[in-house]
Amino acid sequence: MSRHLSSPSRRSLLAALGLGAGAAGLAACGSPNGGGDNAESNVRDGFSQADHTVPAGYEGRTAILFWAPWTGELYESLMTLFTEFNESQDEIVAIAESVGGYADLTQKFTAALQARAVPDIVCFPEMQWLQFHASDALAPLDGYFDDEWNTDIYIPNYVNEGVAAGETFVVPFARSTPLFYFNRSIYRDAGLPEEGPETWEDLAEFAPELAKIEVEGRPLSAMAFSADAWTGQADIWGFGGANANQDFEVTINDEAGAEWLEWQRKFIHDDGFGYLAKDAGTDFQAGVTAGWRGSTASLTGQTEAAGDKFDVGVAFMLSKEGEKKQVPTGGSGLSIVRTESQERQDACAELFRFLAGAEQSAAWHIATGYVPIVQAAAETQSVKDLVAKNPNYLVALNQLENARTADYTNWDSGMVTEIGATQGQVYGDGAAPQKVLDALAAELQDTLDDKREGYEAVDFQGWK
């Protein structure tokens, strides 16, 4: 097995981020710039800003509202950055309101568009922003770019996912990949490799040893599963399959897809080494399971929650032996909502410029575990110190070499929900994979056929 825990050098960290020489940080700017020659087209009459409260001391500024799809520590970390921005200048006040998660944001923003009272900034996962781009709800950003702030400063893996028909509508911010989390302390005590499993076959080999450990009178589970289309995308790729091909043909029920879900069904229901969890991350913290899959954005929180109780380990997402490891890009980027106010849109761009600063990007990464999406963040001392102290962060960065944009089936929240529900049938009920995948494939194909024209118009370049 290869080892992922080598001591990181500056060269290896920069290589993991795809960083070339000459990348530079950005300074925060004060007053807003114009939106370019065609900025007038970004204005939509009849819309207004959603209700909000301006914090005391910031009255009289241009107020911009972000509906943030985070709670808890992630939201608090965001608030820290917003406070820093608000204190860095005296013309704009950025206000963040937590709306729950991504699904909550989708529902609330859809209703807001119908009511024509909207936020100024939204943040949707992966390619799911396209459903709102299709209704002209988002403003293009290219007119704001200059020599200091443009898409070249970001990690390349994520840039194309914000572009439609040659125009940029999303800049990366809270981006991630899924990771395999494991309890390194338990692995060590059980005589298992401290680097964790590399393949599903490894996990099957380790599971009986982990099951010898009792937790509350029951064998320790090797892994808690979630019915999650995001990790499922990595899984089917890791078995040599795909949810769909680039010709818009759904292939999730092909041989590789059936093998993927049958392997996991057997692992859970026949072997008893895993289970469908209500909250896999919480179970991991409680010591009920030795492994789970979660976002890089869980890394800081999981590490802090484990504290002195156990060592958190992370590894690349698993694949079948002999198959290529691939993971879907994850997380979200920032978009400006088209409203009646060009002034507010311009102010939003200034916030984006500020958040793209090397130090700000580094601070967000350290506080959350999201990838330091700005390449210059890798040169900050704080990121180098973090990686030296906790090599888990380097594992997350190194896995970027395996990251790619998810299949078309994961571009729409409705299809994502359908895939997750099918996984739940297998993980929770032990349903026959081929049967449920055949039914799923028919539903996905109907939806994809309806969306094909719109997706083709995007002219996505990320797979080329």
Side-chain angles (χ1 to χ4, degrees), residues 21-61:
L26 299 178
C29 297
S31 59
N33 294 323
D37 294 337
N38 298 317
E40 292 78 11
S41 65
N42 297 341
V43 173
R44 287 200 298 180
D45 293 333
F47 280 75
S48 62
Q49 191 178 43
D51 290 340
H52 62 275
T53 300
V54 175
Y58 296 108
E59 297 86 353
R61 299 189 183 194

Side-chain angles (χ1 to χ4, degrees), residues 135-439:
S135 60
D136 294 325
L138 308 178
L141 303 175
D142 304 85
Y144 294 105
F145 295 149
D146 54 31
D147 290 342
E148 291 186 326
W149 180 51
N150 55 64
T151 55
D152 290 341
I153 72 169
Y154 298 100
I155 296 176
N157 303 58
Y158 297 99
V159 169
N160 283 327
E161 294 184 358
V163 177
E167 288 189 294
T168 305
F169 291 87
V170 183
V171 287
F173 178 60
R175 299 311 308 257
S176 60
T177 61
L179 284 170
F180 182 87
Y181 286 79
F182 65 98
N183 187 316
R184 180 173 285 126
S185 297
I186 287 178
Y187 269 57
R188 185 185 300 120
D189 293 343
L192 300 174
E194 293 188 24
E195 297 78 18
E198 291 193 352
T199 65
W200 289 106
E201 289 84 355
D202 286 344
L203 188 64
E205 179 184 342
F206 299 166
E209 296 302 314
L210 295 169
K212 293 177 182 178
I213 302 169
E214 285 196 0
V215 178
E216 298 179 354
R218 287 189 282 184
L220 176 66
S221 169
M223 188 170 124
F225 286 79
S226 299
D228 176 25
W230 189 42
T231 56
Q233 177 72 93
D235 291 348
I236 193 171
W237 283 342
F239 273 81
N243 290 349
N245 60 34
Q246 292 175 31
D247 293 324
F248 294 89
E249 297 172 336
V250 173
T251 58
I252 197 169
N253 60 330
D254 283 1
E255 182 179 351
E259 183 184 9
W260 149 53
L261 273 186
E262 173 56 26
W263 195 101
Q264 295 180 338
R265 185 207 64 77
K266 179 178 181 296
F267 188 81
I268 294 170
H269 293 283
D270 294 353
D271 301 331
F273 294 143
Y275 66 98
L276 175 62
K278 182 178 180 180
D279 189 327
T282 298
D283 287 0
F284 180 69
Q285 292 173 13
V288 176
T289 180
W292 75 295
R293 280 94 60 79
S295 170
T296 59
S298 299
L299 185 51
T300 297
Q302 285 285 347
T303 303
E304 292 178 352
D308 296 331
K309 294 183 295 184
F310 64 90
D311 291 338
V312 174
V314 295
F316 286 7
M317 289 290 281
L318 307 182
S319 63
K320 178 184 175 183
E321 189 172 327
E323 294 291 347
K324 183 179 179 181
K325 287 181 179 291
Q326 296 182 92
V327 294
T329 53
S332 52
L334 300 169
S335 296
I336 297 176
V337 180
R338 289 182 62 220
T339 63
E340 84 293 351
S341 170
Q342 187 64 54
E343 180 183 15
R344 293 204 312 273
Q345 292 180 51
D346 293 347
C348 292
E350 284 307 312
L351 173 64
F352 294 3
R353 178 186 293 268
F354 175 83
L355 295 174
E359 294 295 339
Q360 286 72 33
S361 178
W364 176 244
H365 164 60
I366 293 167
T368 64
Y370 279 117
V371 173
I373 200 68
V374 175
Q375 296 187 61
E379 294 189 274
T380 63
Q381 190 61 46
S382 56
V383 169
K384 289 186 283 187
D385 289 345
L386 174 70
V387 172
K389 180 180 179 181
N390 186 348
N392 283 340
Y393 288 88
L394 184 62
V395 177
L397 294 175
N398 284 341
Q399 192 183 224
L400 286 172
E401 67 187 29
N402 300 333
R404 53 166 293 195
T405 300
D407 298 330
Y408 286 123
T409 53
N410 290 49
W411 287 22
D412 172 79
S413 58
M415 288 191 282
V416 165
T417 299
E418 290 179 4
I419 295 170
T422 298
Q423 291 174 269
Q425 289 180 272
V426 175
Y427 300 159
D429 302 330
Q434 190 67 66
K435 181 179 179 180
V436 295
L437 284 175
D438 286 344

